[in-house]
Structures are given as C-alpha cells and as structure tokens.
Amino acid sequence: MPIAVYVLGLSVFALGTSEFMLSGLLQPLARDMGVSIPQAGLLVSAFAVGMVVGAPVLAAATLRLPRRTTLIALLTVFGLGQIAGAVAPTYAVLFVSRVISALACAGFWAVGASVAVSLVPVTARARAMAVMVGGLSIANIAGVPAGAFLGQHAGWRAAFWAVAGLSALGLVGVIALVPRTAPATGDDAPSLRRELLIYRDRQVWLALVTTALNGGAVFALFSYLAPLLTDTAGLKESWVPTVLGLFGVGALIGTAIGGRIADAHLFGTIYGGIMASTAVLTLLALTAQWPVAAVTLSLLLGVTAFTTAPALNARMFNVASAAPTLAGATTTSAFNIGNTVGPWLGGLVIGAGWGYPAVAWTAAALAALAVGTTAVASRLHQRSAATEPGTRVVASSASSTPKPAALAKTDTATAAEPCSTT
C-alpha cells in the first residue's frame, strides 16, 4: 500500500475525530450553551448536512484542479473551522462553524478517496478504502474518547483546539508525502458531464440507499450513546470515554475484517455486516438497562458496522468506475445522509418521550431496510452478469454496468498505475 494512502488515512483521523467527538461532548456542551440534548445532537446533523452537500459540489467544482492542491486547501479550511468552533460565543456560531468544517471535510474525503483508489490496482480497492476508513476507526478509538475526556476535564472547547492541531499535522503529511499528479488531457481529461452519467445506473442508486440506511442505523444510536449509557444503563459519566473507546476498538476490528474479505466476497461482507448490526441493535434495545449488556453491545456494534464500510465504498467505485471522483463524493454523501437522518430520527424519538432504548429500535429498523436493498442489488447484479455473454465476474464485485471503450481504457489506467510525481 503506497505511503500516500496512509497519509490520507491519518488526515481522515483528524476529520473523523471532529465529526464523531460530539457524541461524547453533548452533555457538557448542552450545559454550557444552554440548549437541550436533542438540540446539541443537531450539531451532529449539521456536520452531516454539510458533508451531504459539500461532497458532490466540491468534487464537481474541483474536478479539473490538481488533486494535491485541492487536498491542501480543504484541510486548511477544515482546520480554521475547528478554531472557529473552539472560540464560538453562541450556539448559532458553533452551528455555522460545523457546517463550514463539514463542507471542507466532505471535499477532502471525496477527492482523497479517488486519489487512494487511483494509487492501487482494482483488486486492492477495498483494502485502500479500509485504510481510509481505518482513520475513522482510530478516531473512534482514540480521538472520540480523548475528546470526551477533554470535555469533562478541560471543557468541550479544548477538544476543538486538539482537532485543529491534528489538522495541522495532517496538512504537513499531505504536503510532504502525497504526490503531485499531472492533470489529464485530451480524452482522459475529467468531464463532469461524463461523470454525471453514472446516475443513470440503478446500481449506483441502490448502493447510495444502502450506504445511507446503514449509516443512519449506526449513527441514530451512536449520536445518543452517551446519554443512553448514563440515563438508561445507569453508568457514571466518567464511563462514557471508555465505552466510546470500545466502540472504536470494535470499529477498527471490523474495518480490518472488512478490508481483508471484501475484495473477494463483496456482497457477502455487506450482507453479513448489516444483518449482524440489525441483531446487535435489537439486543441493545431489549437489554440497554443492564450496564454489562450495553457496554458489550457497543463494542459489537463497532465491529459489525465497520465491517461493511470498505465493502460499501468499494461497491460504489465498482458500479461508478467511469466517474471515480463522483463515486467518492456519492459515497460520502450517502453515508452522511444517513448520519443526518439517523440522529434526527433519534431526536424525534427522544423528544416524543419514548426513551433512549427506542432509538435502538429505530436504528434496527433502518438496518433491516438496508438488508433489503442489498438483496435487490445482489439480484440485479447476478441477473446482469448472467445476461452478458463472455463476462467474467470476479469475486462478485465487478461493475455490472458496461462502459464505452474509451472509459474502460481510462479506468484501467487510473486503477492500475500510480500517480506520477512531477
């Protein structure tokens, strides 16, 4: 795996820490800002909305710009957004800073994912994406619990300053180690019109919906995990960083498993991970009042949820291989559509007075729907493969969408050849 892929994963660690750390900061932040827990939870949705909008917009706007320059600019804006959040005098200012940070985060993820995929062969896409997703997993292991610890002992603003420092570290890594790439010219030059054609494919939309439902299931619960642990399971607030860390350990384990098996068993990985998440969320809804069960199932949810992440990312790049930049942007948007809708639905359930276990039931329902969309996508994939004579399907992960010869040539060059340095 090229060193640049690991540098991108390190940068994603900073981005992921900012995105998820509010799960451990909701209570001190709500107290300081004078807002309710559901209102504080909307800051999670605000970040997700920025990611949904920012990924495709910034991917399109920067399509013809040098990838490395784009990554540097976006990471700089993200770091400045963290500083703005750290000094925010009001809830409204903090809300706006989260949206701006999210826009930069979305653009970085979309462009960074396409760069990571371009640096490895087609058969290693899931492993490259596992490194990127691994940055999110480590953010949950180290970044989110550390943010919660800082929030409890130094104030929630200290967590924002820490992420700003991490962003600066990632920026140094990108400048030093991510290669410059020569802009493509002629027929190989990026074309927004050509990339937009991927949205004619039903498989792209099914991949988008599945990713959104899976993300919604996970973050409907994860966004309110801290109050569930304290108010329902009866744990002390000091336990929250530890349990969030366990979720992150589970996420890292799941990412490692998914990265290992997804290239060879794509649909099996998606099926297995989402079905297991459905079961874990259902058990959590039934046993959330017992501390041991709540802690154990939080760990298991990290494993099951992140096992699917490399496979879901690789699936989108497979079905949208003619548009690698928009493929990364679409995956980012889909994930964060779920990250927006999930906490919103969870807030509605809490606001209705049904309690935190009801959030787990809501999350389980979303996961069950994702199993259904995966089944439809798998059936369509098998049918398409069966009706294309001479097509050899490799590991159930090849794109079922035929491409023009020019695009196929471009894809092969992009996937198999590392970016040249200048």
Side-chain angles (χ1 to χ4, degrees):
M1 197 63 60
I3 186 66
V5 176
Y6 291 103
V7 170
L8 293 171
L10 172 65
S11 301
V12 169
F13 167 69
L15 305 180
T17 299
S18 177
E19 182 173 6
F20 303 137
M21 69 181 181
L22 286 190
S23 297
L25 298 174
L26 286 184
Q27 290 153 309
L29 190 152
R31 286 194 297 265
D32 185 45
M33 287 290 181
V35 297
S36 66
I37 291 292
Q39 282 178 301
L42 286 178
L43 292 169
V44 179
S45 295
F47 198 98
V49 168
M51 293 281 285
V52 171
V53 175
V57 170
L58 288 172
T62 62
L63 192 61
R64 292 180 177 270
L65 298 179
R67 299 288 181 86
R68 179 174 174 273
T69 302
T70 302
L71 292 174
I72 291 170
L74 291 170
L75 199 52
T76 300
V77 172
F78 175 82
L80 293 174
Q82 300 309 296
I83 294 174
V87 300
T90 65
Y91 176 84
V93 173
L94 179 59
F95 192 97
V96 172
S97 75
R98 294 293 288 171
V99 174
I100 293 173
S101 296
L103 291 172
C105 178
F108 186 94
W109 177 268
V111 176
S114 66
V115 170
V117 168
S118 74
L119 292 171
V120 300
V122 175
T123 53
R125 282 176 171 174
R127 276 177 286 163
M129 293 312 302
V131 173
M132 296 281 287
V133 176
L136 297 180
S137 302
I138 296 173
N140 280 289
I141 293 174
V144 174
F149 182 84
L150 283 174
Q152 292 173 7
H153 295 87
W156 62 269
R157 295 177 189 273
F160 280 79
W161 284 113
V163 174
L166 289 173
S167 302
L169 182 62
L171 182 61
V172 171
V174 170
I175 293 172
L177 297 170
V178 172
R180 293 182 176 91
T181 56
T185 58
D187 292 339
D188 292 340
S191 168
L192 180 59
R193 182 177 181 181
R194 185 173 64 203
E195 293 216 1
L196 287 172
L197 292 177
I198 64 171
Y199 296 115
R200 293 181 177 180
D201 189 349
R202 289 178 297 177
Q203 288 284 24
V204 170
W205 288 101
L206 282 168
L208 188 155
V209 171
T210 302
T211 302
L213 287 170
N214 184 65
V218 176
F219 289 99
L221 188 283
F222 184 76
S223 297
Y224 299 100
L225 182 57
L228 180 143
L229 292 170
T230 56
D231 295 3
T232 303
L235 291 170
K236 294 181 179 179
E237 196 169 317
S238 58
W239 268 89
V240 171
T242 301
V243 179
L244 292 176
L246 287 174
F247 177 92
V249 170
L252 186 61
I253 294 171
T255 301
I257 294 171
R260 281 285 184 179
I261 65 177
D263 283 312
H265 307 285
L266 194 75
F267 278 111
T269 303
I270 297 173
Y271 265 130
I274 299 177
M275 291 177 69
S277 293
T278 305
V280 168
L281 289 164
T282 300
L283 286 173
L284 185 58
L286 294 170
T287 62
Q289 69 273 23
W290 296 325
V292 173
V295 172
T296 303
L297 291 170
S298 296
L299 168 66
L300 292 177
L301 181 61
V303 175
T304 61
F306 279 79
T307 295
T308 63
L312 290 170
N313 278 277
R315 176 62 181 162
M316 184 64 79
F317 277 102
N318 288 339
V319 298
S321 57
T325 303
L326 281 187
T330 300
T331 304
T332 302
S333 291
F335 178 80
N336 285 282
I337 287 171
N339 202 4
T340 303
V341 174
W344 175 69
L345 289 175
L348 289 180
V349 168
I350 296 167
W354 295 344
Y356 294 110
V359 177
W361 283 117
T362 303
L366 292 173
L369 289 174
V371 173
T373 58
T374 301
V376 174
S378 178
R379 184 174 292 266
L380 285 176
H381 175 80
Q382 293 171 359
R383 187 181 302 167
S384 176
T387 56
E388 292 180 18
T391 299
R392 183 170 65 92
V393 180
V394 180
S396 300
S397 64
S399 171
S400 61
T401 307
K403 296 172 288 187
L407 296 185
K409 179 180 177 181
T410 301
D411 295 342
T412 302
T414 301
E417 299 175 7
C419 295
S420 60
T421 56
T422 58

